[in-house]
Amino acid sequence: MVVKSELKLIKNLQQKKYRNENGLFVMEGKKAVEELLESGFKAYKIFTTGQELQGAKAFEVAPISMKELKQISSLKNPNGVLGVFYKKITTDLKLEGWTVVLDGVQDPGNLGTIIRLCDWFGIENLICSKETVDCYNPKVLQATMGSIARVTIFYTDLTNFLNATKVPVYGTFMEGENIHKTNLPENGILILGNEGNGISDTVRKLCDYEVSIPQFGKKTTESLNVATATAIFLNEIKRK
Amino acid sequence: MVVKSELKLIKNLQQKKYRNENGLFVMEGKKAVEELLESGFKAYKIFTTGQELQGAKAFEVAPISMKELKQISSLKNPNGVLGVFYKKITTDLKLEGWTVVLDGVQDPGNLGTIIRLCDWFGIENLICSKETVDCYNPKVLQATMGSIARVTIFYTDLTNFLNATKVPVYGTFMEGENIHKTNLPENGILILGNEGNGISDTVRKLCDYEVSIPQFGKKTTESLNVATATAIFLNEIKRK
């Protein structure tokens, strides 16, 4: 049995306010929880309906009934493992190779997909503006498919960050230079903007280059979704 | 006022069974409805709470109250225009350039995004196995952002279709040849598979080439989402 106060805490962690206050977040699913443990995330407590967990210390694991789990899970069908973890505090960033910067991405599914793409393409650091959706949001975590364990995510003021950086900064814009014809360096920063408004004017001024994905269909087409665009840009960066 | 039987019909069209029985589907939103009209979709009836519609004939348009619209809309916040359209019947396909084939894609958001990508990259025809999610599903239509108007979608038996085709067939597999190192022809077929299981064994046997997107991160990473992978493959096909 889990005590009431703990059930309440875990349920509250679905909200950003409580995640920030407590410095904790929730990850569900055996595989995802094991991946967090493996990559050095510290567990506060892991509740299971009976599964064995690799990498968890005995004192971290507690039993939970499916009925209790259903009360606190953010999933329609909870799968038997719910871990409460300490948020990772990143203090020093070592930027090597390419870094992805997000300026106000709002949709949790998009952020989750972008984290998964960073993992796939070996991008170690993802820098987010403070307006970008919280990476510990349950919907983001679900969409990352465990990749959150392998990508360092850092929320900061983009103006300060971009002013301090020494590598070339590439902003993505509908009317930018064709990415197929752009010579990309070994190290750089790639910025993607908000779903509706793109990159903000303040951040645009800090871009050294503006790039775009060429369109081949009729010109009436909407812009590409930000996660889809990230996929194409990262593939372009890595394809050489 | 809209008669009860019509409200019921429209609500039922959220289900595939009724869309098939009636040969009708629902598209919501002024811009999306106008795009369907412009691209030659025939309207059965378009309901509006008062908006003017470009391209609609007077007899096709009928008033609706916001209260009635809320009863039949698949959106949380209906936006004042709901069109009922006749499904397009494709009888002869002219395959030119590249064609995308989907073998059992299940998620409506993925299919919607893939249709939008076909539109962006000028892919005119999208061939779907009969197990692929229905393209007139409201969630698919919403995710296409109007692109459904500009891409021809055809559901058929893939074995027959692939046996009859004369262009080279490229299947996408985790362990396929690196797409960055593959010379792609002017015309071809690109096949993407189901979210969980990939391309079926039957279809795999009909592939001339197996291709993949190289992974640069740690090898523990999950595979890429099918819509994200489609984005990268189509960009590779078009980038020459």
Side-chain angles (χ1 to χ4, degrees), chain A residues 33-240:
Chain A
V33 162
E34 287 177 342
E35 285 182 325
L36 281 185
L37 289 169
E38 200 196 323
S39 65
F41 273 84
K42 202 169 138 44
Y44 163 71
K45 217 170 217 179
I46 303 167
F47 298 95
T48 90
T49 55
Q51 280 96 325
E52 289 285 314
L53 282 168
Q54 283 202 331
K57 299 189 183 74
F59 76 90
E60 291 168 339
V61 182
I64 191 168
S65 69
M66 191 44 96
K67 197 183 153 198
E68 289 167 327
L69 187 56
K70 278 188 178 162
Q71 284 173 46
I72 56 168
S73 172
S74 68
L75 304 176
K76 264 189 195 164
N77 301 305
N79 47 31
V81 177
L82 182 150
V84 182
F85 285 87
Y86 294 96
K87 284 164 64 164
K88 218 179 215 172
I89 310 295
T90 306
T91 47
D92 64 327
L93 275 176
K94 278 180 217 148
L95 297 189
E96 278 172 29
W98 278 78
T99 298
V100 173
V101 168
L102 302 181
D103 183 16
V105 166
Q106 287 304 301
D107 181 78
N110 283 340
L111 178 56
T113 306
I114 291 171
I115 295 170
R116 193 170 160 192
L117 282 164
C118 286
D119 186 20
W120 182 273
F121 284 109
I123 302 292
E124 291 179 14
N125 297 297
L126 177 63
I127 314 290
C128 300
S129 72
K130 292 186 169 162
E131 300 76 36
T132 297
V133 58
D134 182 25
C135 67
Y136 296 109
N137 174 312
K139 285 185 195 159
V140 174
L141 293 175
Q142 229 49 48
T144 68
M145 307 283 283
S147 287
I148 190 106
R150 291 177 294 272
V151 178
T152 299
I153 304 167
F154 189 64
Y155 285 76
T156 189
D157 178 85
L158 292 190
T159 308
N160 292 343
F161 172 77
L162 292 171
N163 271 324
T165 186
K166 279 161 194 150
V167 297
V169 177
Y170 290 76
T172 57
F173 295 90
M174 285 291 279
E175 62 283 15
E177 188 193 335
N178 181 343
I179 190 76
H180 296 166
K181 294 177 179 165
T182 308
N183 275 322
L184 296 167
E186 284 295 307
N187 306 296
I189 284 171
L190 176 74
I191 310 181
L192 294 120
N194 169 270
E195 286 85 350
N197 306 317
I199 292 174
S200 62
D201 289 342
T202 328
V203 169
R204 184 170 197 162
K205 287 187 191 125
L206 301 168
C207 293
D208 301 313
Y209 304 94
E210 300 194 357
V211 289
S212 72
I213 299 164
Q215 184 171 0
F216 294 85
K218 298 192 184 88
K219 297 300 172 194
T220 42
T221 312
E222 291 277 331
S223 70
L224 289 171
N225 162 282
V226 62
T228 316
T230 305
I232 295 171
F233 282 118
L234 290 183
N235 182 63
E236 286 290 329
I237 285 170
K238 291 288 178 174
R239 82 188 301 285
K240 290 185 298 182

Side-chain angles (χ1 to χ4, degrees), chain B:
Chain B
M1 218 193 88
V2 186
V3 293
K4 259 197 179 167
S5 61
E6 217 155 36
L7 290 177
K8 195 175 168 198
L9 166 71
I10 297 165
K11 202 160 165 53
N12 280 341
L13 291 176
Q14 290 187 20
Q15 293 171 54
K16 184 176 173 182
K17 179 187 153 196
Y18 291 98
R19 289 195 296 272
N20 286 348
E21 271 179 29
N22 295 282
L24 296 171
F25 71 99
V26 171
M27 175 68 97
E28 297 196 56
K30 179 172 149 61
K31 181 153 179 269
V33 162
E34 287 177 343
E35 286 182 325
L36 282 184
L37 289 169
E38 201 196 322
S39 66
F41 273 85
K42 202 167 137 45
Y44 164 71
K45 217 170 215 179
I46 303 167
F47 298 94
T48 90
T49 54
Q51 280 95 324
E52 289 285 316
L53 283 168
Q54 283 201 332
K57 298 188 184 76
F59 76 90
E60 291 167 339
V61 183
I64 192 167
S65 69
M66 190 46 94
K67 196 182 154 199
E68 288 168 327
L69 186 57
K70 278 188 177 161
Q71 282 174 48
I72 56 169
S73 171
S74 68
L75 305 177
K76 264 190 195 163
N77 300 305
N79 47 30
V81 176
L82 183 152
V84 182
F85 285 86
Y86 293 96
K87 283 164 64 165
K88 219 179 214 173
I89 311 294
T90 307
T91 47
D92 64 326
L93 275 176
K94 278 179 218 151
L95 297 189
E96 279 174 28
W98 278 79
T99 298
V100 172
V101 168
L102 302 181
D103 183 16
V105 167
Q106 287 303 304
D107 180 78
N110 283 341
L111 177 56
T113 305
I114 291 171
I115 295 170
R116 193 171 159 191
L117 282 165
C118 286
D119 186 19
W120 182 274
F121 284 111
I123 303 291
E124 289 177 15
N125 298 296
L126 177 64
I127 314 290
C128 300
S129 72
K130 291 185 172 165
E131 300 76 36
T132 297
V133 57
D134 181 24
C135 67
Y136 296 110
N137 174 313
K139 284 183 197 161
V140 174
L141 293 176
Q142 229 50 49
T144 68
M145 306 283 283
S147 288
I148 189 106
R150 291 177 294 271
V151 178
T152 299
I153 303 167
F154 189 65
Y155 285 77
T156 189
D157 179 84
L158 292 190
T159 308
N160 292 343
F161 172 77
L162 293 171
N163 271 324
T165 187
K166 279 161 195 148
V167 296
V169 177
Y170 289 77
T172 58
F173 295 89
M174 284 292 278
E175 64 281 17
E177 188 194 334
N178 181 344
I179 189 77
H180 297 166
K181 294 176 179 164
T182 309
N183 276 322
L184 297 166
E186 285 293 306
N187 307 295
I189 284 171
L190 176 74
I191 311 182
L192 293 120
N194 170 270
E195 286 85 352
N197 307 317
I199 293 174
S200 62
D201 288 344
T202 329
V203 168
R204 184 170 197 162
K205 287 187 191 124
L206 301 168
C207 294
D208 302 312
Y209 304 94
E210 301 194 356
V211 289
S212 72
I213 298 164
Q215 186 172 358
F216 294 85
K218 299 193 183 88
K219 297 301 171 192
T220 43
T221 312
E222 292 276 331
S223 70
L224 289 171
N225 160 285
V226 63
T228 315
T230 306
I232 295 171
F233 282 118
L234 290 183
N235 182 62
E236 285 290 329
I237 286 170
K238 292 289 179 173
R239 80 187 302 287
K240 293 185 299 185

